[in-house]
Amino acid sequence: MLGATTLLLAGSIAARASRDGPTAPADRWWAPGSNRTFPTQADYADTTGTLRVLLTGGPLATKGHPFFTPVGPNGRACVTCHQPADAMSLSAATATERWQATGGKDPLFAAYDGSNCPTLPQADRASHSLLLGYGLFRIQRPWPPRAAKGGAVTPDFDIEIARDPWGCNSGKYGPGAGNISVYRRPRPLANMKYLLAIGFAYDPKQGLPLALDPETGKPVSGNLMADGRASTLDAQMRDAAATHLELLEQMTPTDMARIVDFESRIYTAQQADRTGGAVDIAGAEGGPAKLANSQAGQLGSIGKPVWSEFEAWEKPAPGLGPARAAFRASVVRGAHVFRDKTFLITDSTGINAPIGFGNPVRNSCVFCHNMSQMGNDVAPGQVDLGTTNQPFADPMPWLPLFRITCRKAPHPFYGRVIYTSDPGYALTTGRCADVGKITLQSLRGLSARAPYFSNGVAKDLRAVVDFYDRRYTIGYTEQEKRDLVNLMSVL
Amino acid sequence: MALLAMATVAAAEPPETVRFITCPTYRDTDAGRKSGCWLADDRATGRRYDVSAAPSKPDWNHEILVEGKAAEAPDRCGGIVLDPVRTSVLAGTCTRHMLPAEGYPGNRFSLPKRDVAPMAAARAVPPGPYSTRTFRLFFGFDSAFLMYQYDDYLLDRAITWIRAAKPRTIVVTGYAASGPETVSGRAIAEDEEIARDRAERVTEALVRLGIDRGIISVRTDTRPRPVDDPDADGLVEASRRRVDIEARF
């Protein structure tokens, strides 16, 4: 009886949210076990306007639902780190709000991975500086890597610790004890059909057909997790349960099926911009509804061009205020810059080697971010942009630094020794040629989930553009930079 | 003006294959995506070739082995156009060198003829009757990497046929061109091990495409003869570096 009343109440909150605009601040945070009903549509204010979250197939009673219910000892649920208001990721700003609201007591800050290292004094704010400042969680990977089917992978490189600011790469947390700790952003858990879609039978970056899921024998998209360690939602879930939730037992098949069901129904994207207005009017096709209703996995270069959603804004609607018209024009220009402004992509494994595009190769943002409507990679998207590898990475004294020595062939671009703050895909494959490769993410809902890149080094979208401008000596004009930022803010 | 001038190629005789090792030069022409030029100077003759048509392109940090035939094609990059051409990235290092466009237009990107179709595109079922048939994949020097827009296409054609024909067994033979040869005054030979690497990679590829590992047997050969296969594009030496997939009934 009580349950039913709560549900009804929650339902009416949800209805209010979609009728009356953005969800009230008090309802933004989805605490684990709050037993609310997840509405079919919820709008949340974000840094540039409104993010919309859609749940296809009707509202969901979250009471007892394994995505929303704290099942492990630390009081967390999946929703703790995959928050609707943050485009199903978690922004650093939200982490800071939670710290302030709870005096650091929120299960979000669990010692295991919500602090810089469990050995640090947990009541100190400074012990959680990576989560509060950069939205980063500690990810502990086995060393040497383990194969998906079990068994050790024999790496072709040695790893030494060049810098260990928090002590989580030494002693029982260090490689000597079979562990490596890196720090990463939660990846947005929405629009999953795009991330699981398979466009081609081959992975051109590996020069092989797509890898097969060891459980089902079916080919996988290769587009999950920064280091590609899990290739299916099931495999990912086991990883998340054992680490983030500190579960000792495996989740039951029923729980896993319920989580996959939820993950498959949730869509999110920016719905409105404060200046530009709704993104699905005047012929534009932004917003999550379009995502839910479209076929996933198309290559933009042979189908619907990436970010052509906003093409109709090229011609300003009559009577549009000047600020709104200018913003919309900027978004359209931004989409053209994204697709058409070329630059020399250099020394990025996954693109410049071994695939054969050449080093350098002239291309644009869309070369890598090539899937229509999502901006991830249609092929498995492991690419070394240089976000973690020196000399391309910015100095990040707050992150650990690893010294990698390739034992067999040297790395094609870095030589025998590589300094990196996150070996990325190499922590899965054990190959020095994969050091620093990070899987491309979705580019949707960006305004709700700063900071960016898997290591959170880009504090806002301008910092993303500036990173690329430095990395590939692009020479964007100030106008082009602003256009790119405006474009990305409405995705 | 060298621009758009025809490369001089003897009219009647089939063009000779050139084969040399050098450091590549990138010319930063800009006719949109992938439009830059790759140039390679044969040090023995002093000739500059345009090797941009290679399916797998150079890396400006490394030496390349060039194998190709001069084509009657307009000079859009500042060199004699080689097409067909292969460029294999070698271990030796090079000083990066980039030239400006200097008025050359570069090559506008167009999809290569060996471009694999998306999964969603239906493949025509190759008609029977089926009997023993060999498919071949070709590789870069000392490499077991299946080249994009070349080997993936050839493999796709093979697997489409194999799926229809359902052979009883498949023999995968990896070859390594391990007999030393002199190129640009240097003795080069593929590592014998690459024969096995190639065969194992192709076996793994077939398994990933749904072939039962149990029907595949793997062989190696380190003294391959060249083959006359249309997909080797008449490049004799490159045709030794291959894997044969022989379907038997």
Side-chain angles (χ1 to χ4, degrees):
Chain A
M1 257 338 280
L2 232 170
T5 329
T6 325
L7 272 182
L8 265 176
L9 259 175
S12 64
I13 290 170
R16 201 182 63 217
S18 44
R19 234 187 4 254
D20 302 343
T23 307
D27 296 333
R28 283 178 72 90
W29 176 254
W30 277 78
S34 55
N35 299 345
R36 291 150 69 183
T37 290
F38 202 97
T40 53
Q41 177 179 313
D43 288 352
Y44 295 97
D46 64 21
T47 51
T48 60
T50 308
L51 177 89
R52 179 163 290 174
V53 180
L54 295 181
L55 184 68
T56 60
L60 178 80
T62 67
K63 187 174 162 62
H65 190 287
F67 190 89
F68 299 87
T69 307
V71 282
N74 64 18
R76 279 179 178 167
C78 308
V79 74
T80 305
C81 305
H82 297 284
Q83 286 281 327
D86 294 11
M88 298 306 284
S89 172
L90 185 91
S91 68
T94 299
T96 301
E97 273 163 32
R98 291 314 296 163
W99 183 273
Q100 275 151 6
T102 65
K105 296 287 188 307
D106 195 290
L108 180 61
F109 302 102
Y112 178 78
D113 59 358
S115 78
N116 303 357
C117 193
T119 53
L120 300 171
Q122 292 298 309
D124 287 3
R125 199 187 158 104
S127 303
H128 305 270
S129 61
L130 297 184
L131 176 51
L132 294 168
Y134 306 94
L136 297 172
F137 289 93
R138 187 177 70 94
I139 308 283
Q140 183 174 311
R141 301 294 328 272
W143 185 258
R146 266 184 235 126
K149 290 177 191 162
V153 169
T154 309
D156 69 4
F157 61 89
D158 295 317
I159 191 160
E160 295 161 277
I161 310 303
R163 183 172 74 224
D164 184 17
W166 314 107
C168 245
N169 280 294
S170 353
K172 78 168 185 159
Y173 290 98
N179 298 308
I180 296 277
S181 283
V182 291
Y183 297 86
R184 295 189 186 143
R185 301 271 303 118
R187 294 167 72 88
L189 188 41
N191 313 323
M192 292 311 285
K193 75 178 178 194
Y194 293 84
L195 296 157
L196 297 170
I198 291 174
F200 291 84
Y202 303 91
D203 174 354
K205 300 186 184 72
Q206 297 298 323
L208 275 175
L210 294 176
L212 304 180
D213 172 13
E215 279 166 68
T216 62
K218 297 240 171 66
V220 293
S221 70
N223 274 325
L224 295 184
M225 311 292 266
D227 54 16
R229 67 184 175 281
S231 51
T232 62
L233 293 179
D234 278 357
Q236 190 287 326
M237 224 179 301
R238 276 191 289 273
D239 179 274
T243 58
H244 306 311
L245 306 182
E246 299 179 65
L247 273 188
L248 296 176
E249 309 119 61
Q250 292 226 338
M251 293 187 122
T252 67
T254 321
D255 281 352
M256 288 177 52
R258 290 177 76 189
I259 291 181
V260 169
D261 167 71
F262 172 72
E263 290 174 331
S264 314
R265 290 164 53 196
I266 190 149
Y267 291 89
T268 189
Q270 194 74 353
Q271 178 61 30
D273 181 82
R274 272 201 295 276
T275 312
V279 299
D280 58 356
I281 54 166
E285 299 185 313
K290 182 77 187 170
L291 296 179
N293 299 327
S294 302
Q295 200 198 330
Q298 316 280 70
L299 194 58
S301 60
I302 55 176
K304 189 177 164 46
V306 175
W307 315 141
S308 57
E309 283 82 347
F310 306 99
E311 214 58 36
W313 281 356
E314 187 114 51
K315 290 193 203 75
L320 210 59
R324 185 156 288 193
F327 181 87
R328 291 186 179 177
S330 170
V331 166
V332 179
R333 283 195 307 269
H336 285 287
V337 172
F338 196 93
R339 289 199 298 269
D340 303 332
K341 167 96 180 187
T342 62
F343 46 90
L344 288 183
I345 300 169
T346 54
D347 299 336
S348 287
T349 48
I351 291 294
N352 301 113
I355 180 168
F357 288 128
N359 183 34
V361 60
R362 180 169 278 287
N363 222 310
S364 64
C365 306
V366 86
F367 190 28
C368 302
H369 297 279
N370 52 44
M371 190 187 288
S372 303
Q373 301 184 288
M374 200 49 51
N376 60 320
D377 194 345
V378 171
Q382 286 77 37
V383 174
D384 167 24
L385 274 186
T387 45
T388 72
N389 288 351
Q390 290 189 356
F392 306 116
D394 296 324
M396 296 173 285
W398 52 91
L399 291 183
L401 190 68
F402 305 96
R403 180 187 149 97
I404 306 263
T405 308
C406 307
R407 278 192 223 128
K408 291 185 189 160
H411 185 284
F413 307 135
Y414 300 109
R416 218 160 264 290
V417 175
I418 311 167
Y419 285 91
T420 185
S421 57
D422 185 346
Y425 193 42
L427 287 178
T428 302
T429 64
R431 288 189 302 245
C432 89
D434 293 329
V435 169
K437 284 184 184 170
I438 303 287
T439 313
L440 276 98
Q441 319 79 337
S442 134
L443 292 188
R444 291 304 198 136
L446 287 166
S447 280
R449 55 181 177 87
Y452 309 102
F453 292 134
S454 102
N455 60 10
V457 73
K459 70 176 189 323
D460 52 25
L461 291 170
R462 176 57 184 249
V464 169
V465 175
D466 287 340
F467 173 83
Y468 283 106
D469 199 45
R470 284 196 297 279
R471 171 67 182 86
Y472 297 127
T473 327
I474 301 177
Y476 283 131
T477 62
E478 182 56 33
Q479 179 75 67
E480 286 171 327
K481 289 186 181 185
R482 263 187 261 141
D483 293 344
L484 274 174
V485 167
N486 286 338
L487 164 76
M488 291 194 285
S489 76
V490 297
L491 300 179
Chain B
M1 204 50 203
L3 211 67
L4 301 181
M6 287 296 177
T8 36
V9 178
E13 291 294 303
E16 251 181 63
T17 305
V18 293
R19 197 164 189 236
F20 59 93
I21 296 172
T22 194
C23 282
T25 299
Y26 183 76
R27 185 190 286 285
D28 191 20
T29 50
D30 185 0
R33 65 193 170 113
K34 300 184 187 169
S35 63
C37 293
W38 283 104
L39 300 171
D41 298 355
D42 182 354
R43 291 165 184 144
T45 63
R47 282 203 190 105
R48 172 163 286 183
Y49 292 98
D50 170 2
V51 298
S52 315
S56 184
K57 299 185 200 324
D59 171 352
W60 62 5
N61 300 308
H62 289 282
E63 285 185 320
I64 50 170
L65 167 66
V66 175
E67 296 161 300
K69 295 184 186 216
E72 296 224 17
D75 176 6
R76 307 179 68 83
C77 291
I80 302 163
V81 177
L82 295 184
D83 191 8
V85 61
R86 304 288 179 266
T87 56
S88 305
V89 177
L90 305 180
T93 54
C94 291
T95 306
R96 288 179 173 201
H97 185 38
M98 179 159 78
L99 291 171
E102 295 184 296
Y104 288 100
N107 299 298
R108 265 200 102 74
F109 175 74
S110 62
L111 272 180
K113 60 181 179 187
R114 297 188 182 104
D115 180 49
V116 80
M119 285 260 268
R123 269 64 170 168
V125 178
Y130 307 112
S131 57
T132 298
R133 184 167 169 190
T134 301
F135 294 88
R136 299 193 181 94
L137 305 180
F138 302 96
F139 294 82
F141 186 87
D142 248 348
S143 162
F145 190 84
L146 271 63
M147 274 181 249
Y148 177 59
Q149 290 179 334
Y150 185 27
D151 290 311
D152 53 356
Y153 175 86
L154 300 179
L155 181 60
D156 200 67
R157 207 168 56 190
I159 197 70
T160 304
W161 188 89
I162 290 169
R163 280 175 181 151
K166 301 193 175 52
R168 205 167 37 81
T169 58
I170 296 176
V171 181
V172 173
T173 309
Y175 297 90
S178 63
E181 287 172 78
T182 304
V183 179
S184 298
R186 208 193 290 183
I188 60 162
E190 286 198 301
D191 186 349
E192 291 194 353
E193 281 299 304
I194 207 76
R196 180 149 299 277
D197 289 356
R198 284 177 181 154
E200 282 174 358
R201 263 194 159 241
V202 170
T203 301
E204 171 65 17
L206 292 171
V207 169
R208 289 186 181 194
L209 293 170
I211 305 299
D212 174 8
R213 199 182 284 273
I215 72 161
I216 305 176
S217 51
V218 174
R219 296 189 187 159
T220 58
D221 182 340
T222 55
R223 287 290 184 273
R225 281 176 214 275
V227 285
D228 187 10
D229 182 306
D231 289 307
D233 296 331
L235 297 171
V236 174
E237 293 307 323
S239 80
R240 293 180 204 268
R241 303 187 302 257
R242 69 178 190 275
V243 164
D244 288 354
I245 303 171
E246 190 189 336
R248 294 182 181 173
F249 292 84

